[in-house]
Amino acid sequence: MQYNATPFPIDPGIGPTTTDASMWLEKQSESVRRVTRIDARGRLVQEPVVEDGAWVDPTARLIGGMIIGAGCYLGPFAVIRLDEKPTPEPLVIGPGSNVQDCAVIHSTTQRIGSRVIVAHQAIVHGAIVEDDVTIYIQAVVDGGGAVIGRGAFLHQGCYVGKGVRVPPGRYVGPGRKILTQAEADALGPVPEALLHVREHVLESNDAHVRRYLSLRSAGE
């Protein structure tokens, strides 16, 4: 299947020849080699790798080096743009995660865990998101070393500021701004009712993946 993918050139500060590029690439990690190639002009470029069993909507936009894990769902007009990474290591989105309609992942983000929900119009800008996190509709994570701990739930329209680490299993309520580490450390646990909401969303997106892949297979 063809994805709306754009290769992005990288400059690791090596010599100008294809031989230089080849030697550099041979020394890199397996994940870097998976997303990096030498183009016809001899430049090192990185581009998306979508693993079997994932679904990427044709309108989603993928720019630069990333690995989309099996069972992931990328919805209509989602954007993942990796043109400011400080290292050649790719963004890895773990199995079973979903990035929904018009959501944006940008900048220095290098890890989105497994079973993560990045809901409609949410923004993750240069943060680490651990497993089982929910970033709900129009929530914003503003990077600068921010970490969203495993199982945290960021509700609709909330904001987590630069460098803030939300502890595992904590809850940020609708529209709330978490600007300091002290505020993050004082957060309470995720309400039980929202854990059920989260499971429903994951089940729905898993069903979308299976249906779309089935339709694609039927059309081949």
Side-chain angles (χ1 to χ4, degrees):
M1 180 179 179
Q2 294 297 313
Y3 304 107
N4 190 1
T6 302
F8 189 79
I10 61 172
D11 181 9
I14 60 174
T17 70
T18 300
T19 299
D20 293 324
S22 297
M23 291 177 62
W24 178 86
L25 190 55
E26 288 175 2
K27 298 176 182 177
Q28 303 309 304
S29 68
E30 179 183 356
S31 58
V32 170
R33 294 196 300 271
R34 285 189 70 187
V35 301
T36 309
R37 63 179 174 85
I38 302 170
D39 71 6
R41 295 170 58 184
R43 300 176 303 179
L44 288 159
V45 297
Q46 293 191 325
E47 54 195 353
V49 171
V50 178
E51 295 186 341
D52 291 342
W55 171 263
V56 178
D57 187 271
T59 64
R61 187 70 183 271
L62 310 180
I63 300 172
M66 67 192 77
I67 299 171
I68 310 298
C72 285
Y73 170 81
L74 271 60
F77 299 102
V79 175
I80 304 179
R81 181 158 67 92
L82 303 174
D83 50 12
E84 296 179 11
K85 293 193 292 90
T87 78
E89 290 293 332
L91 165 67
V92 177
I93 300 182
S97 291
N98 59 84
V99 181
Q100 298 176 15
D101 313 40
C102 301
V104 176
I105 297 172
H106 179 232
S107 189
T108 57
T109 298
Q110 286 191 260
R111 180 160 65 89
I112 303 289
S114 301
R115 302 173 304 281
V116 168
I117 297 168
V118 182
H120 312 298
Q121 296 184 323
I123 298 172
V124 179
H125 190 273
I128 291 174
V129 179
E130 297 183 346
D131 294 346
D132 302 309
V133 165
T134 301
I135 302 173
Y136 212 53
I137 298 168
Q138 294 184 329
V140 176
V141 182
D142 199 15
V147 178
I148 310 302
R150 181 169 187 161
F153 194 115
L154 279 54
H155 215 314
Q156 181 169 342
C158 72
Y159 175 89
V160 175
K162 294 182 184 300
V164 173
R165 302 174 69 91
V166 174
R170 302 296 178 87
Y171 174 61
V172 182
R176 186 171 179 185
K177 293 184 177 180
I178 304 299
L179 303 178
T180 68
Q181 190 58 47
E183 291 173 323
D185 291 340
L187 292 168
V190 180
E192 187 72 24
L194 291 179
L195 296 178
H196 296 302
V197 169
R198 171 186 161 72
E199 290 306 312
H200 174 70
V201 172
L202 288 172
E203 290 171 2
S204 295
N205 281 278
D206 179 65
H208 289 330
V209 170
R210 289 185 280 105
R211 291 185 186 118
Y212 285 131
L213 290 175
S214 176
L215 285 171
R216 187 179 73 187
S217 297
E220 291 176 348

